[in-house]
């Protein structure tokens, strides 16, 4: 028998091989991984997966077809729908299937470290793949028989201890080390920025000389080291705010579930949008639906934008349905943990998976439903490395498996709601909060009004401060949103009038007071502060602008009490986010300041006031979705107020109280905003009325040859665009014109068909050979910067 093998390492080709006669022909199935020979050199082994099995071969008789060396699986690691998805993405992105698969497979699945573990009555033997490749026929026959009857098993190979030991922060800035301990500070800063990582990653990022510094920090208890994350989720779950009582569905929620179940029972693909106001009980619908589908022997995947929401959802399942086993999957788990989960889901007949976007690639069996909570959220798009949008992947998997796809949001993506209005996606509504209360009233606060000297210490207006103090005086709680972390986004030199910039990027450095550093949020560069001005050498700076750190500090001083802060910096240590949320739920503080991490999913019954400190920030982004994203963020944030027995109130601070987007937010009018926004997009020809793609081009700073290449390549793109009827805008410098010492440009393509856009891109590239430019085609871009 012949098999088509997709290689998971360069050259990522799809090649034909013969199966091993040692195994029955029925043993080899699509989706199984195998080791194959490639070329004649010493390093001629490759891992690939079977795409197709054939009885005949179309190749000429004079072509020698090599046999595979050895199977790595006894059951397929990739189910049928994932194989279909790989081929679909390969066509969509113009890449080899092997490169697509490698984009989402874990490193251990294409590693050559696997071994055959063979147990006999006399001894236990371990064979590496290279040994199997050169083994004699009689030994191969013995090992094949052992693998078939269970006496032998393929196992992950031995790992370097530096790849298994994970180093974690166990302290928060300011760092409790001597100012002169520069290497220790470097280690702490690296872990603060990159999160938990292996010793190998740490050595690669800092250098092998970090070993002594790590040892000192471990002995002082400032770092922790372990071999994985077993039990970490359970510990973090215990720190979350107490769960609400078990869900009881109301009439509207039951209607939504009953509308969907017939499609599951009849195994008919069906996509729907669940549009429900904040606090309307969408989670209860998800879980009741999941329980019913699991009872039919089919699997369910529930995706959420953030790990914190995944943990909250896991807690809700434990509370309402304690008998159900949940598989939690996200990118912060160790590679070993995620590989174990992959194999577990591949072997389970039906399971409930909760996770972030990467959970969508798990090889779940008998998929019955995929749910995207907060379907509008930008984090469902991966825009680095392997580019994909979870919504498209979910649609493809659900369609292939005759499952249902449920998209849920209080503020749906404009394109999703347009599809619902056009009848392409059925619309389910939850128009009222489960508590029966009205949505909180929203008020615009004009920040142009002057403040007194005593009130000028904070970003909040006089009116906002008055309402804040009244709320605190009643013993209630307040959430304050400012979507900018750090202490101050600009450090202005009073002597030369310049601001401190990153040497690698055309971006100002942000002051982080607790860390005592100026930090670039794009390349990670940082330097100590206080420090002389990089332009004139003076040491007199004025922090300009305000971030979460500064606002929390100023409010703590103004109110004379503790203020909690929730942002990426305050939650860099594992478990710290759960500690902060638990402390706020226990009312250890009445005020919580944070970034957009606060806007979704959190339920605090005592929160009666939400303040958005700077609503204008997102409206001025160079992005056609700037108004939509601002509307979604503000309305989601407003939904945190008044979720309990007490009524809520929302204050939105702005310099432009007449802005059309903010007027719709004030009226809690998503559909009015949608009508206004969709007419603008139709007028200017933006999605959903056209397909949109962004060609990102970059080259080393001040590379004159690359700049000329850019001009030539742009001409070829323009010719191709005219041929395929695609509108081309650019090239133009990207809004963030230099990052990591690379100059960045963009070309915007608008077309009526994705195929026309892809042909434009590939035709332009084929017209000339580029040496200095780096190009990426981003279909349906989410990040326009």
């Amino acid at each position: 028998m012949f098999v088509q093998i997709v290689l998971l390492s360069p050259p990522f080709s799809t090649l034909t091989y013969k199966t091993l006669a040692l195994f029955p022909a029925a043993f080899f199935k699509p989706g199984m991984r195998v080791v194959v020979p490639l070329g004649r050199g010493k390093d001629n082994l490759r891992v690939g997966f079977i795409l197709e099995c054939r009885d005949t071969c179309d190749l000429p008789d004079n072509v020698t077809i090599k046999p595979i060396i050895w199977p790595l699986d006894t059951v397929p690691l990739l189910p049928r729908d994932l194989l279909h998805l790989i081929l679909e993405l390969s066509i969509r992105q113009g890449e080899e299937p092997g490169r697509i698969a490698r984009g989402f497979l874990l490193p251990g699945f294409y590693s050559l470290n696997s071994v055959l573990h063979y147990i006999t009555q006399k001894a236990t033997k371990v064979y590496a793949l290279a040994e199997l490749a050169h083994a004699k026929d009689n030994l191969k026959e013995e090992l094949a028989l052992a693998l078939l009857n269970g006496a032998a098993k393929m196992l992950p190979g031995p790992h370097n201890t530096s790849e298994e030991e994970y180093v974690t922060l166990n302290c928060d800035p300011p760092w409790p080390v001597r100012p002169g301990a520069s290497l220790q500070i470097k280690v702490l800063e690296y872990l603060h920025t990159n999160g938990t990582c292996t010793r190998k990653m740490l050595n690669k990022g800092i250098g092998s000389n970090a070993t002594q510094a790590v040892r000192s920090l471990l002995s002082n208890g400032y770092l922790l080291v372990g071999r994985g994350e077993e039990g970490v989720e359970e510990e973090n779950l215990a720190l979350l705010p107490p769960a609400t009582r078990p869900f009881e569905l109301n009439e509207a929620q039951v209607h939504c579930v009953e509308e969907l179940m017939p499609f599951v029972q009849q195994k008919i693909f069906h996509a729907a949008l669940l549009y429900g106001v904040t606090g309307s009980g969408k989670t209860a619908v998800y879980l009741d639906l999941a329980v019913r589908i699991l009872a039919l022997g089919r699997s369910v995947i529930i995706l959420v934008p953030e790990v914190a929401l995944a943990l909250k959802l896991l807690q809700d399942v434990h509370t309402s349905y304690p008998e159900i086993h949940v598989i939690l999957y996200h990118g912060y788990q160790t590679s070993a943990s995620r590989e174990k989960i992959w194999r577990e889901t591949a072997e389970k007949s039906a399971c409930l998976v909760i996770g972030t976007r990467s959970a969508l690639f798990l090889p779940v069996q008998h998929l019955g439903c995929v749910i995207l909570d907060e379907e509008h959220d930008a984090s469902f798009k991966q825009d680095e490395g392997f580019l994909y949008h979870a919504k498209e992947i979910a649609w493809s998997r659900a369609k292939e498996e005759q499952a249902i796809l449920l998209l849920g949001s209080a503020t749906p993506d404009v394109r999703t709601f347009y599809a619902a209005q056009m009848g392409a996606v059925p619309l389910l509504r939850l128009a009222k909060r489960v508590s029966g209360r009205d949505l909180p009233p929203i008020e615009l606060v004009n920040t142009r009004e002057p403040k007194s000297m005593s009130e000028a210490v904070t970003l909040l207006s006089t009116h906002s401060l008055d309402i804040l103090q009244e709320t605190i005086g009643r013993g209630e709680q307040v959430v304050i949103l400012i979507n900018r972390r750090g202490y101050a986004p600009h450090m202005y030199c009073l002597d030369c009038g310049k601001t401190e910039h990153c040497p690698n990027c055309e971006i100002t450095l942000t002051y982080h007071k607790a860390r005592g550093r100026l930090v670039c949020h794009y390349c990670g560069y940082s330097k100590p502060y206080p420090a002389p001005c990089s332009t004139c050498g003076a040491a007199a700076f004025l922090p300009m602008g305000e971030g979460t750190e500064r606002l929390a500090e100023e409010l703590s001083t103004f109110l004379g009490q503790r203020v909690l802060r929730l942002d990426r910096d305050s939650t860099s240590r594992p478990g710290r986010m759960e500690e902060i949320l638990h402390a706020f739920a226990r009312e250890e503080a009445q005020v919580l300041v944070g970034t957009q991490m606060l806007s979704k999913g959190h339920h605090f019954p005592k929160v009666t006031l939400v303040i958005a400190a700077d609503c204008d920030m997102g409206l001025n982004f160079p992005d056609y979705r700037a108004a939509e994203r601002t509307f979604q963020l503000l309305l989601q944030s407003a939904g945190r107020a008044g979720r309990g027995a007490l009524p809520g109130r929302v204050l939105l601070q702005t310099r432009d109280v007449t802005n059309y987007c903010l007027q719709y937010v004030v009226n809690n009018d998503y559909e009015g905003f949608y009508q206004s926004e969709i007419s603008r997009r139709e007028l200017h020809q933006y999605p959903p009325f056209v397909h949109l793609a962004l060609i990102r081009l970059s080259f080393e700073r001040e590379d004159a040859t690359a700049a000329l290449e850019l001009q030539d390549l742009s001409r070829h793109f323009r010719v191709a665009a005219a041929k395929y009827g695609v509108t081309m805008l650019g090239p133009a410098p990207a809004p963030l014109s230099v990052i990591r010492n690379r100059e960045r440009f963009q070309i915007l393509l608008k077309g009526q068909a994705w195929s026309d856009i892809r042909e434009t891109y590939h035709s332009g590239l084929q017209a000339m050979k580029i040496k200095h430019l780096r190009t990426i085609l981003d279909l349906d871009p989410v990040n326009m910067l």
Side-chain angles (χ1 to χ4, degrees), residues 79-146:
R80 181 191 61 185
D81 65 316
L82 269 185
L83 293 178
H84 175 82
L85 177 65
I86 290 168
L87 294 178
E88 194 175 89
L89 288 173
S90 173
I91 295 170
R92 175 175 166 80
Q93 299 192 10
E95 296 278 6
E96 292 283 354
R99 196 180 294 274
I100 295 293
R102 180 155 173 156
F104 65 80
L105 285 175
L106 298 166
F109 292 143
Y110 48 82
S111 165
L112 289 165
N113 289 334
S114 296
V115 295
L116 180 69
H117 195 253
Y118 180 30
I119 302 175
T120 67
Q121 294 297 324
K122 297 180 179 179
T124 298
K125 299 179 181 179
V126 176
Y127 296 91
L129 296 179
E131 293 177 276
L132 292 172
H134 298 99
K136 294 182 178 180
D137 290 344
N138 61 339
L139 176 59
K140 276 190 176 182
E141 187 174 351
E142 179 186 348
L143 295 176
L145 184 62

Side-chain angles (χ1 to χ4, degrees), residues 345-613:
T345 54
E347 295 170 3
K348 275 184 172 292
S349 59
C351 58
L352 172 59
V353 174
I354 294 175
T356 51
R357 64 175 182 245
S358 57
L360 198 51
F361 294 102
L362 286 174
V364 296
Q365 305 296 309
H366 312 299
L367 184 62
C369 177
V370 181
I371 298 170
L372 266 72
D373 187 25
E374 311 291 0
E375 66 87 27
H376 65 276
D377 199 278
S379 65
F380 282 126
K381 172 70 181 284
Q382 178 163 300
D383 54 12
E384 290 184 357
F386 169 48
L387 307 181
Y388 70 90
H389 198 297
K391 202 182 301 183
E392 295 172 356
I393 304 297
W395 182 285
S396 178
R397 289 203 70 177
K399 188 174 183 180
E400 182 69 15
E401 288 291 287
Q402 297 299 297
I404 62 171
L405 170 63
L406 183 59
L407 309 173
S409 178
T411 54
D413 184 317
V414 164
R415 294 167 302 174
T416 307
F417 202 75
Y418 177 79
Q421 296 290 49
M422 293 296 104
V425 177
L427 181 63
L428 304 172
R429 292 177 182 265
L430 293 174
K432 296 182 179 180
R433 285 187 158 185
V434 290
S435 65
R437 285 195 169 277
D438 293 332
L439 293 168
I442 302 174
E443 176 186 349
L444 294 181
V445 179
N446 192 343
T447 53
R448 288 184 175 182
E449 297 175 357
K451 294 190 285 188
S452 66
M453 289 298 293
S454 62
E455 294 164 334
V457 295
T458 174
L459 182 64
L460 301 188
S461 71
T462 302
H463 180 63
S464 297
L465 286 171
D466 289 342
I467 303 300
L468 172 63
Q469 289 177 303
E470 289 175 13
T471 305
I472 291 173
R474 294 194 300 267
E476 297 162 9
Q477 291 182 295
V478 182
V479 165
I480 301 175
L481 173 77
I482 174 170
N483 207 21
R484 183 192 291 126
R485 61 191 178 97
Y487 190 85
H490 308 283
M491 291 300 283
Y492 177 81
C493 177
L494 294 173
D495 281 42
C496 68
K498 304 290 185 182
T499 53
E500 288 292 279
H501 276 69
C502 173
N504 307 317
C505 312
E506 289 292 335
I507 296 163
T508 57
L509 294 173
T510 299
Y511 176 38
H512 289 253
K513 188 175 182 179
R515 293 165 65 181
R517 301 187 78 80
L518 301 178
V519 180
C520 175
H521 288 170
Y522 290 89
C523 74
Y525 169 84
S526 69
K527 69 177 187 177
Y529 180 84
C533 172
S534 56
T535 302
C536 69
F541 286 96
L542 175 66
M544 297 182 68
E546 196 148 0
T548 49
E549 187 180 13
R550 186 174 188 177
L551 182 58
E553 179 189 276
E554 291 172 345
L555 285 175
S556 181
T557 302
F558 182 78
L559 299 171
Q561 61 177 255
R562 183 186 183 191
V563 172
L564 292 172
R565 176 166 60 93
L566 188 74
D567 57 23
R568 181 178 166 186
D569 300 308
S570 65
T571 59
S572 61
R573 176 165 57 84
R576 182 63 181 141
M577 179 181 349
E578 292 76 17
E579 290 174 9
I580 294 169
L581 294 173
H582 194 42
F584 192 59
R586 289 199 311 262
E587 299 181 47
E588 293 179 13
Q590 288 182 268
V591 179
L592 175 60
V593 173
T595 57
Q596 63 181 4
M597 294 169 70
L598 283 174
S599 65
K600 299 178 289 288
H602 304 298
H603 179 84
F604 299 106
K606 291 293 289 289
V607 170
T608 58
L609 176 64
V610 169
I611 302 174

Side-chain angles (χ1 to χ4, degrees), residues 58-236:
D58 299 332
L59 294 174
D61 293 338
N62 61 345
V63 175
T64 302
I65 301 176
K66 298 179 180 180
I68 65 172
I69 289 173
W70 200 258
L72 293 177
D73 303 313
T74 53
V75 295
L77 187 74
L78 298 171
R80 181 191 61 185
D81 65 316
L82 269 185
L83 293 178
H84 175 82
L85 177 65
I86 290 168
L87 294 178
E88 194 175 89
L89 288 173
S90 173
I91 295 170
R92 175 175 166 80
Q93 299 192 10
E95 296 278 6
E96 292 283 354
R99 196 180 294 274
I100 295 293
R102 180 155 173 156
F104 65 80
L105 285 175
L106 298 166
F109 292 143
Y110 48 82
S111 165
L112 289 165
N113 289 334
S114 296
V115 295
L116 180 69
H117 195 253
Y118 180 30
I119 302 175
T120 67
Q121 294 297 324
K122 297 180 179 179
T124 298
K125 299 179 181 179
V126 176
Y127 296 91
L129 296 179
E131 293 177 276
L132 292 172
H134 298 99
K136 294 182 178 180
D137 290 344
N138 61 339
L139 176 59
K140 276 190 176 182
E141 187 174 351
E142 179 186 348
L143 295 176
L145 184 62
L147 188 64
L148 289 169
N149 64 28
K153 188 176 183 180
M154 295 303 303
L155 296 174
H159 295 286
N160 188 318
T161 55
S162 67
E163 295 177 341
E164 294 182 338
E165 291 184 353
Y166 286 78
V167 183
T168 303
L169 267 180
N170 195 37
C171 62
D172 298 312
W175 306 125
V177 297
R178 295 178 293 103
S182 58
L183 198 54
Q184 291 186 32
I185 292 173
K186 192 174 181 180
V187 170
L188 294 168
E189 283 290 325
Y190 183 88
L191 291 170
H192 188 276
T193 301
N194 297 284
T196 298
C197 64
T198 63
R199 280 186 183 266
K200 182 178 180 179
M201 291 171 59
L202 194 59
N203 291 336
K204 184 178 179 181
I206 296 177
S208 56
N209 58 342
T211 304
Q212 182 57 46
V214 170
R215 191 177 295 123
S216 299
L217 292 167
L218 285 169
S219 64
N220 288 320
Y222 303 145
L223 298 181
L224 297 176
V225 66
R227 290 194 175 274
E229 296 186 342
E230 289 76 8
V232 171
E233 267 91 13
E234 289 74 10
E235 293 173 16
N236 292 345

Side-chain angles (χ1 to χ4, degrees), residues 647-700:
R649 184 175 185 179
V650 181
L651 303 178
L652 307 180
Q653 294 198 159
T654 177
R655 298 171 190 83
D656 181 10
V657 294
T658 63
N659 184 280
Y660 82 96
C661 172
L662 300 182
Q663 293 298 325
Y664 287 114
V665 176
V666 166
N667 295 319
N668 269 299
D669 186 6
Y670 170 79
E671 293 188 50
F673 171 78
Y674 162 79
Q675 292 295 344
S676 174
E677 187 68 13
I678 206 72
S679 63
R680 284 176 166 82
R681 295 195 187 180
E682 185 173 21
L683 176 65
H684 298 291
Q685 286 298 287
Y686 278 100
F689 300 101
V690 295
H691 292 307
L692 194 69
L694 201 61
I695 302 177
R696 305 182 193 275
L697 308 107
S698 68
F699 53 86
E700 291 292 334

Side-chain angles (χ1 to χ4, degrees), residues 237 240 243-247 283-284 286-288 290-291 294 300 302 304 309-328 351-355 371:
L237 208 58
L240 283 172
T244 54
R245 63 181 183 277
F247 294 121
T283 300
Y286 303 153
L287 297 187
D288 188 77
V291 169
L294 287 169
V300 178
I302 305 179
V304 292
L309 298 182
L311 290 172
K312 175 66 170 63
L313 194 56
L314 178 61
Q315 186 185 51
D316 289 337
V317 176
H318 288 342
T319 301
S320 297
Y321 307 100
E323 72 282 3
I324 293 180
H325 172 66
V326 180
I327 295 174
L328 184 69
C351 58
L352 172 59
V353 174
I354 294 175
I371 298 170

